[in-house]
């Protein structure tokens, strides 16, 4: 029934102009069950894909909680393998960080584990296993985590796009995991991209709407570089942390694996317009990731909305600018990287010998041991609680590396020695070949914290170590 037929002849509903206050979500206290499931990426006519999923869905449920409250989630392991959950981007107590052997024993099949995390920061985060991550995340175990501000910015709708890619075979199965080629090159790049587990997402919008779009890249290895036609989105936050709002224009919204961006998009087009969202990060494979379709409805409001206010800052400590000592970490190795040999547990070894152990990357001339039981190696850096540290991460390889630090968010200061015009706080920074970045942070969270490349095949092949704060 179209209720508009009851409007008095010649009348139209008055366009609403005020932005609504979205209802606050209740604090999450829930179970998350990791277990096998199947999904039909291309509909019921095509072969289904066996996946591993939280609560039977790919991606897992969007968890919503409020800043200042606690996230309580019990992981129930219904897999045949041990697992954990890492809460990517949250500055958690060390015991809640989900890194096997470093911060907790892995959760064995049939067992469960309660994660109880005070939420200091608002923003867009995500969760995924940290055990055999390349396979467990690659098979579908991941979900978005939204921590709402105490007084959320007003928008008409608050949406999550969890972006992923999959390496699918024609029979519907995921291609086998663990290939050495992926480890030594750009990681496991997929052949099918999805948004919220769907191929060919089509977002219905109404002219005049203002939406907040939370982008999460949960792919193992693919960086996405998105453009939104002439929508000219506002970039509002990266990795959960607010930035000074700025128009993206025709610039790409770049999301490395593990990275997030919050956009505000004012849908200033006309009813029935269509917009293509294009991924062009890799110039050799440019494709349409999604479409945005305006409905035929009359515009929700007539006048454009003003510039959005910046989101409130999170309580991240400011690094002490007087600290100038730089700790350099040079990432080396991989295919075409020119590394001939490196130290492994005190012995200099040729790259071929190292590769026989499934390892192919090194940091400062050392191959980091796989972080397994009783074989964690030494911290890459010992830090004193409360002090500011400046790290320089240098990419001396032929591939991109999105470097991710646990337990802290860092200030990105410069790229290749050039200070950033606009400061950003991140937990994952994309470093391209022959680039280096300087980051700084206050080591204010005690414990052993993983530091690794978020191309998960790289992390599995020696690009994962840890920092100690004590
Ligand atoms: Cu890497």
């Amino acid at each position: 029934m179209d209720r508009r037929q009851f409007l008095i002849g010649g009348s139209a509903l008055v366009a609403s102009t005020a932005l609504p206050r979205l209802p606050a979500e209740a604090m999450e206290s829930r179970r998350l069950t990791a277990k096998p499931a199947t999904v039909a990426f291309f509909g019921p006519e095509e072969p289904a894909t066996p996946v591993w999923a939280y609560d039977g869905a790919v991606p897992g449920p969007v968890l919503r909680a409020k800043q200042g409250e606690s996230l309580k989630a019990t992981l129930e392991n219904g897999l045949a393998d041990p697992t954990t959950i890492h809460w990517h981007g949250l500055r958690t107590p060390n015991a809640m960080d989900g890194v096997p052997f470093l911060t907790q024993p892995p959760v064995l099949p049939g067992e469960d584990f309660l994660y109880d995390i005070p939420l200091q920061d608002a923003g867009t985060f995500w969760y995924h296993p940290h055990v055999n991550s390349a396979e467990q995340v690659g098979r579908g175990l991941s979900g978005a985590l939204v921590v709402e501000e105490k007084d959320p910015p007003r928008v008409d709708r608050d949406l999550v796009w969890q972006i992923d890619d999959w390496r699918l075979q024609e029979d519907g199965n995921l291609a086998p995991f663990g290939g050495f080629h992926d480890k030594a090159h750009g990681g496991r790049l997929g052949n099918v991209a999805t948004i919220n587990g769907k191929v060919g997402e089509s977002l219905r919008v109404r002219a005049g709407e203002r939406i907040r779009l939370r982008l999460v890249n949960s792919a193992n290895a693919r960086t996405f570089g998105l453009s939104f036609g002439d929508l000219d989105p506002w970039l509002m936050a990266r990795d959960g942390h607010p930035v000074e709002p700025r128009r993206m224009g025709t610039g790409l919204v770049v999301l490395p694996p593990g990275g997030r961006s919050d956009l505000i998009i004012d849908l200033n087009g006309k009813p029935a317009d269509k917009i293509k969202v294009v991924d062009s990060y890799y110039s050799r494979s440019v494709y349409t990731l999604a479409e945005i379709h305006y409905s035929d409805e009359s515009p929700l409001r007539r006048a454009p909305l003003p510039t959005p206010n910046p989101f409130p800052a999170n309580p991240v400590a400011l690094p002490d600018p007087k600290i100038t000592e730089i700790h350099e970490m040079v990432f080396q190795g991989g295919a075409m990287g020119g590394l001939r040999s490196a130290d492994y547990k005190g012995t200099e070894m040729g790259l071929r010998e190292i590769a026989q152990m499934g390892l192919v990357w090194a940091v400062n001339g050392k191959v980091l041991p796989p972080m397994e039981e009783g074989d964690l190696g030494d911290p890459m850096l010992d830090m004193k609680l409360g002090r500011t540290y400046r790290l320089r991460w240098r990419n001396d390889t032929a591939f991109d590396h999105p470097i991710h630090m646990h337990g802290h968010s860092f200030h990105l200061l410069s790229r290749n020695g050039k200070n950033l015009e606009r400061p950003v706080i991140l937990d994952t920074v994309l470093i391209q070949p022959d680039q280096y970045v300087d980051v700084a942070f206050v080591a204010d969270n005690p414990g052993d914290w993983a530091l690794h490349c978020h191309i998960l095949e790289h992390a599995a092949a020696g690009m994962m170590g840890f920092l100690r704060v004590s």
Side-chain angles (χ1 to χ4, degrees):
M1 178 181 66
D2 180 5
R3 291 179 187 274
R4 280 162 199 267
Q5 64 185 293
F6 296 104
L7 289 171
I8 294 169
S11 305
L13 288 175
V14 176
S16 64
T17 51
L19 285 163
R21 186 184 292 275
L22 298 179
E25 302 280 339
M27 184 180 70
E28 288 288 342
S29 174
R30 57 143 71 230
R31 296 183 81 77
L32 279 171
T33 305
K35 58 175 188 243
T38 52
V39 294
F41 284 119
F42 296 102
E45 305 297 306
E46 299 287 327
T49 301
V51 295
W52 296 351
Y54 292 115
D55 292 0
V58 165
V62 176
L63 304 183
R64 283 188 179 261
K66 222 163 173 60
Q67 187 177 20
E69 297 184 345
S70 286
L71 174 77
K72 291 186 177 65
T74 300
L75 164 65
E76 196 176 294
N77 186 0
L79 303 169
D81 296 287
T83 191
T84 59
I85 293 181
H86 169 60
W87 307 88
H88 185 121
L90 289 188
R91 300 184 292 141
T92 68
N94 193 251
M96 298 289 122
D97 196 45
V99 179
F101 309 113
L102 192 68
T103 72
Q104 70 166 98
V107 182
L108 299 177
E111 294 190 345
D112 54 31
F113 186 90
L114 170 66
Y115 291 95
D116 184 352
I117 300 169
L119 298 166
Q120 309 182 59
D121 298 329
T124 304
F125 305 96
W126 65 297
Y127 59 96
H128 63 78
H130 225 282
V131 175
N132 188 14
S133 309
E135 178 168 5
Q136 294 201 0
V137 178
R139 286 194 185 278
L141 289 167
S142 63
L145 167 62
V146 170
V147 182
E148 294 176 348
E149 296 82 2
K150 286 172 184 155
D151 184 16
R154 299 235 186 150
V155 290
D156 293 305
R157 284 191 291 163
D158 180 332
L159 304 174
V160 174
W161 272 9
Q162 189 182 326
I163 309 172
D164 209 336
D165 75 342
W166 309 82
R167 193 180 287 175
L168 278 182
Q169 301 179 161
E170 281 197 2
D171 62 5
N173 287 308
L174 294 170
F177 286 83
F180 189 74
H181 187 275
D182 289 340
K183 290 181 176 179
H185 293 76
R188 182 184 173 92
L189 295 166
N191 50 11
V192 174
T194 54
I195 290 179
N196 300 338
K198 271 172 57 190
V199 179
E201 163 74 359
S202 162
L203 176 67
R204 301 284 293 178
V205 297
R206 181 173 175 186
E209 263 194 302
R210 169 171 279 184
I211 60 172
R212 175 175 183 167
L213 187 58
R214 302 169 183 268
L215 304 171
V216 179
N217 180 358
S218 58
N220 281 33
R222 181 176 297 278
T223 293
F224 295 89
L226 304 184
S227 55
F228 291 78
D230 58 5
L231 283 178
D232 203 5
W234 295 96
L235 179 67
M236 300 301 296
R238 289 182 64 193
D239 288 2
H241 298 288
V243 298
E244 190 59 35
R246 66 178 166 100
R247 292 276 197 191
M248 290 307 297
T250 53
L252 297 184
V253 179
V254 174
L255 295 155
R260 291 88 63 213
S261 284
D262 283 39
L263 307 178
I264 280 187
I265 302 180
D266 289 329
L267 293 147
N268 291 332
K270 297 184 300 299
D273 276 359
K274 281 182 190 170
I275 304 279
K276 281 181 172 14
V277 180
V278 173
D279 173 18
S280 59
Y281 183 75
Y282 305 93
S283 55
R284 279 167 302 177
S285 62
V286 176
Y287 64 100
T288 299
L289 176 68
E291 290 186 338
I292 295 176
H293 288 208
Y294 285 79
S295 69
D296 295 329
E297 290 168 282
S298 60
L300 184 62
R301 52 178 69 81
R302 295 206 173 86
L305 289 162
T307 301
N309 290 324
F311 294 168
N314 285 318
V316 178
L318 280 176
D320 179 352
K322 293 194 294 294
I323 302 291
T324 52
E325 187 191 359
I326 292 174
H327 302 271
E328 186 168 54
M329 296 173 186
V330 182
F331 298 97
Q332 304 157 307
M336 301 169 284
L339 185 72
R340 295 234 176 84
S341 69
D343 173 281
Y344 184 72
K345 297 182 178 177
T347 308
E348 192 72 10
M349 287 181 162
L351 199 62
R352 187 176 296 255
E353 212 180 336
I354 293 164
Q356 275 160 6
M357 299 183 288
L359 303 172
V360 70
W361 305 96
V363 183
N364 292 348
K366 281 187 173 172
V367 176
L368 302 169
M371 290 169 62
E372 288 162 359
E373 189 168 17
D375 193 13
L376 293 170
D378 299 320
M380 300 165 81
L381 187 63
D382 258 307
M383 301 188 286
K384 293 245 179 318
L385 184 65
R387 288 225 188 132
T388 288
Y389 286 84
R390 251 182 111 128
L391 308 185
R392 176 167 294 169
W393 292 327
R394 186 184 293 278
N395 181 352
D396 196 12
T397 80
F399 295 91
D400 283 6
H401 301 291
I403 300 298
H404 172 50
M405 191 168 79
H406 288 211
H408 299 77
S409 297
F410 50 80
H411 293 247
L412 177 62
L413 303 177
S414 63
R415 279 187 190 272
N416 290 343
K418 192 169 175 291
N419 287 344
L420 260 66
E421 279 173 40
R422 308 176 195 87
V424 285
I425 301 173
L426 302 173
D427 55 62
T428 307
V429 60
L430 185 63
I431 313 171
Q432 290 169 333
D434 298 321
Q435 270 195 348
Y436 68 92
V437 301
D438 283 10
V439 305
F441 58 96
V442 178
D444 55 5
N445 200 356
D448 286 347
W449 299 104
L451 173 78
H452 63 92
C453 180
H454 221 286
I455 291 182
L456 299 175
E457 294 71 28
H458 292 178
M463 272 192 116
M464 177 158 73
F466 68 97
L467 308 173
R468 176 165 291 162
V469 179
S470 57

